[in-house]
Amino acid sequence: MAKRFVSIGECMLEMSGGEGGQYKFGFAGDTLNTAWYANALLGNDWSVDYVTALGDDLYSGQMREFMGQAGIGTGHIQTIPSKRPGLYLIHQAHGDRHFTYWRDTSAAKLMMEDREKVETALMGADFIYFSGISVAILAPRMRGRLLKAIVKARDAGARVAFDPNLRPALWSGPRAMQACIMAAATVADIVLPTHSDEAPLFGDKDAEATAQRYLDAGVAEVVVKDGAKAALGATQGLRETVSPQPGAKVVDATGAGDSFNGGYLSARLNGADVAEAMARAHQVAGVVIGHKGALVDPALLP
């Protein structure tokens, strides 16, 4: 029987590109992006499920079909009547990406209203992945429900990975964000932060400081991403740095960190050590940033 990789979060409608007023329509979201790359890279010994809530509208149906056609399990996606997926638009300006979001009616924000369905979805999981966005979109009392469901699955034998993926606009303020992110990290075995995101909130002077803060909180394995700089892998007895291969052409950096996560976790779950997994993750992210949008054809992956 295949092992189960379960990713929890929000998938959205994506409009990317924008040249000449023409946008490409797709589906993406941080935890779906990582599930996409994990599904492509883990191999036949694993199945990948996505846990979220969608509406009963046309685009929710198309999103389910899109995931299913990619081989990502949709059996534990809830349906919330009268709600729909969130939407975001990416436009390029001044050499960087800019995002505009419409997610007030997002069904995913209500996925923890039925705690039993989420607990059932996590039952029997071998590996669980979630992010700071998975937590941030929920009402405060629902955040605790999600973490308890993950802890319950972890107690039953699942390993857990967490990407803080800090998005200040989703939080009521920096103190709430700090407290919730660190609480979420304590239920994870692997944490995958991005130093440039973490430094303004936590005051980390470098990637080592970011890694040590999570290690001090009890996390066993931390991989700190830092854009085009070397990634730092850390445990209590190990430090490894691996740089991306030079010369990668950046067309669209959307999904770079998520694809790194998918590459790293799939490599680790397939037996690679920390340094090998970081090198693999850089390879995957290097392909993704050379294409528009967050998701690339799995056939293009190394």
Side-chain angles (χ1 to χ4, degrees), residues 137-267:
I137 62 171
L138 303 175
R141 65 189 181 91
M142 296 300 165
R143 294 169 184 165
R145 284 189 180 184
L146 175 60
L147 297 186
K148 288 178 181 177
I150 293 171
V151 168
K152 184 175 181 179
R154 191 185 186 197
D155 289 344
R159 296 182 66 207
V160 179
F162 171 66
D163 182 343
N165 212 353
L166 303 177
R167 295 292 184 269
L170 295 177
W171 297 92
S172 59
R175 288 187 179 181
M177 182 162 54
Q178 285 178 327
C180 290
I181 290 298
M182 292 310 297
T186 63
V187 310
D189 301 284
I190 302 173
V191 172
L192 300 142
T194 298
H195 172 65
S196 59
D197 290 345
E198 304 267 327
L201 180 65
F202 292 101
D204 302 334
K205 65 178 182 179
D206 52 26
E208 169 63 30
T210 298
Q212 192 61 52
R213 174 167 47 81
Y214 286 109
L215 292 173
D216 289 344
V219 179
E221 181 174 326
V222 183
V223 178
V224 184
K225 296 160 288 184
D226 204 4
K229 299 179 183 178
L232 170 66
T235 69
Q236 290 295 356
L238 172 77
R239 293 293 188 278
E240 296 276 7
T241 56
V242 177
S243 298
Q245 291 295 314
K249 180 182 179 182
V250 181
V251 173
D252 182 355
T254 306
D258 305 326
S259 63
F260 180 101
N261 294 349
Y264 182 82
L265 295 174
S266 60

Side-chain angles (χ1 to χ4, degrees), residues 10 28 31 63-64 103-104 124 163 193 199 239 264 266 271:
E10 179 186 31
T31 52
M63 189 180 290
R64 289 173 188 266
R103 69 196 329 161
D104 289 347
D163 182 343
R239 293 293 188 278
Y264 182 82
S266 60

Side-chain angles (χ1 to χ4, degrees), residues 30-42:
D30 65 333
T31 52
L32 187 277
N33 302 344
T34 295
W36 175 273
Y37 294 107
N39 185 61
L41 298 166
L42 276 170

